[in-house]
Every structure is written in C-alpha cells, then in structure tokens.
Amino acid sequence: MTNWKSVNRLSPCPVCKKPDWCCVSPDRCLACCNRIEEGSVKRLSGGGWLHALKPKGEGTEFYVPKPKPLPEHNEVMAEIARRVLRSTDNKNLVEFALELGVDVESVNNFNVGYDEARKEYLFPMLRGRDKVVGVRIRNKTGGKFSIKGSKNGLFVPNNFRDEGVVYICEGESDAMALHSCYLNVVGRPSCNSCEKIIKELVEDRDVVICLDQDEAGRKGAEKLAQYLKIHCKSVKMFEAPDGINDMREWVNTHGRHELFSAAKRLHGQTQRC
C-alpha cells in the first residue's frame, strides 16, 4: 500500500466521505477506510477496512454499499418490558441484587423486571437513552437469551450522564456492579456486539473499556478500542487483577472501594463510591 494516496478535503474517502485517516489505491478501485466496516472485504492488519469499489460507468464515480441501518425503537419490545416491570414485586429485585452482590438501586436503574410466571428477569436493550430495540432474558439458572424479534442493544441506566467518562463493559451484571460503584457505565450483551450503537452514544467522549479475562472477551474489548479510537476523545482499558474474571467478581471479592480506587487512578474520577 506504499503507492496509495491519502484522502484530503478535495478528494475525500469514497466510503465515509471524510477528508482524513483513509487512503485509496492509485486506480481508485480500492479504499482503506478507518471508519466504516459494512461492505468491506476484510479487516486490515494495520487498521481499517479494505473496500472494493465498483466503478459506476466512466469517470471517478463509485458505488459504495450503504451501511446497514441501526435498529429503531420497537414498541412491541418496549411494551413487553413495561408490562413485566409494572407487575414486578420489588422483593424479587432485592433478592436478585443480593444474589449478584450489587445495589438494588442499580437493578432498578436498569429497569429490570421479573416475570413471576416464567421465573425470568427481563432487561430492556436500548439504542441511545430511550429506544428499546430488544429484551434480554435471564432465567433463575443463569441462562441468557433474547425474546424473538429482539435486536442487540445496550444496557443503559436511567441516570446515565451526558458528560464525563463512560465505562463500557460486557453483560448486564457487570454493568450493574460498576453502577453500584457510581461509575457512569453502559453494558453490551456480548463481547462482539453493538460497536456502532456504542459509537453513537459516546462519540467525542472519554471512554474506558472493561476487559474480561477470557480470550474472547479480551479480543472483543481490543477490537472495540480500535474502533472507538477514531471517534472518541480518549480510549483506555480497565482490567481486573489476576485471578478475577470480570468486574462483578472484582466487586464481590475485593469490594467496591478497591475497584473505584483503581478507576480513579486510571482516569481521575471524582465521584465517591
């Protein structure tokens, strides 16, 4: 790619239309875009995605596949979550909080409901602050799945703050554990999901990505970090001590103060735990 040309304002990237970060081949049939993955041929080892551009007749116009749209609000999913939440007995949420080792206030902030008939906890998954795009189910044995028709979204607390550092973790229980330490957090349903929904929520902000100790979790966190570096003010990684698998286990074995102190050292947090 030594002969490839960097994009500029007069000749922006044919994929993302931006004037920086990207480059194109001399014949303009290929592009390396650092922002858009959809429609790409592969991920490049040096960063960015390789796009094969298809000439559109004569000249320099190109057809670029349109990015897959993000999921929109699903009122059916929202009504399921509201119905279960309205019928939820708070004693079940207190029991759930004790089982996980988190504050019941945090459970409530994530709008967790309990279906008494099915013995299942429901977690709304969001795009942004208020678009319900799916519902995650967690049964009494810890099994997890989504209601049919759901799209992946984020676990976002009601009191998510629009300023300051954002912590991003994997899973609803880790999100509630970090929230119990008064950290501004969102969770994603798996280690390889919701990159673009996260970017939409945290663009131009300082973010901290929390790593699980398993190989898949680490790779997913590193991939997300690479993606967000282009879109965020800063990106840092937050890892539990050796022998601790995830954020919730850290809280339960070493206490909230230790985790919060580590977060403060990493990013100068000022909230108190």
Side-chain angles (χ1 to χ4, degrees):
M1 297 178 68
T2 54
N3 295 325
W4 286 41
K5 298 180 180 179
S6 298
V7 299
N8 54 50
R9 293 188 182 278
L10 295 178
S11 182
C13 174
V15 180
C16 67
K17 311 302 182 186
K18 300 292 185 179
D20 52 14
W21 288 94
C22 310
C23 59
V24 295
S25 63
D27 59 5
R28 292 186 62 82
C29 287
L30 297 172
C32 171
C33 181
N34 281 290
R35 294 182 173 89
I36 294 179
E37 178 181 4
E38 287 89 355
S40 64
V41 176
K42 66 176 182 178
R43 171 87 178 187
L44 296 172
S45 59
W49 292 274
L50 180 66
H51 291 260
L53 306 175
K54 301 176 183 179
K56 192 177 177 182
E58 298 296 327
T60 56
E61 286 189 63
F62 292 88
Y63 165 74
V64 178
K66 291 184 179 179
K68 184 179 179 181
L70 294 177
E72 294 295 341
H73 176 77
N74 187 325
E75 184 56 28
V76 173
M77 296 296 150
E79 181 53 33
I80 291 172
R82 286 194 294 263
R83 175 177 53 79
V84 173
L85 186 59
R86 285 194 297 265
S87 64
T88 296
D89 189 328
N90 196 59
K91 71 178 183 181
N92 290 308
L93 300 184
V94 172
E95 177 186 318
F96 189 42
L98 289 172
E99 177 188 333
L100 296 179
V102 303
D103 283 344
V104 69
E105 290 83 1
S106 294
V107 175
N108 283 315
N109 253 288
F110 283 89
N111 296 306
V112 180
Y114 183 70
D115 188 327
E116 186 70 49
R118 295 177 176 272
K119 308 300 181 186
E120 295 171 341
Y121 296 98
L122 275 71
F123 297 81
M125 295 187 288
L126 308 180
R127 173 187 169 192
R129 301 287 298 276
D130 54 9
K131 294 179 180 178
V132 179
V133 298
V135 176
R136 164 67 68 88
I137 301 292
R138 179 181 177 130
N139 60 32
K140 283 284 192 176
T141 61
K144 301 176 184 179
F145 55 94
S146 297
I147 291 179
K148 185 178 180 180
S150 293
K151 302 294 185 182
N152 277 337
L154 302 177
F155 306 112
V156 184
N158 292 333
N159 61 350
F160 178 78
R161 296 186 291 276
D162 291 324
E163 57 183 21
V165 182
V166 180
Y167 287 76
I168 303 168
C169 66
E170 178 189 341
E172 64 277 4
S173 57
D174 272 17
M176 290 186 291
L178 291 171
H179 187 272
S180 296
C181 291
Y182 299 98
L183 297 175
N184 197 30
V185 61
V186 297
R188 57 177 178 162
S190 69
C191 62
N192 287 303
S193 61
C194 299
E195 288 183 353
K196 290 171 180 58
I197 292 180
I198 293 171
K199 173 253 182 182
E200 182 181 58
L201 184 66
V202 304
E203 192 164 15
D204 297 325
R205 297 183 63 174
D206 297 307
V207 301
V208 174
I209 299 173
C210 303
L211 287 88
D212 285 356
Q213 292 291 355
D214 62 288
E215 184 179 357
R218 296 183 70 86
K219 287 183 177 178
E222 290 165 0
K223 180 183 176 185
L224 179 62
Q226 284 295 114
Y227 176 68
L228 292 182
K229 281 179 181 178
I230 303 168
H231 304 286
C232 294
K233 189 184 298 182
S234 69
V235 178
K236 295 185 178 182
M237 309 298 276
F238 192 42
E239 185 173 8
D242 290 343
I244 303 298
N245 292 319
D246 55 33
M247 297 295 118
R248 182 167 69 91
E249 185 178 341
W250 191 359
V251 169
N252 287 335
T253 56
H254 292 269
R256 299 174 190 177
H257 180 73
E258 180 179 307
L259 186 149
F260 178 78
S261 297
K264 185 177 180 180
R265 289 192 298 271
L266 178 70
H267 227 304
Q269 289 289 319
T270 56
Q271 302 100 327
R272 290 186 176 274
C273 183

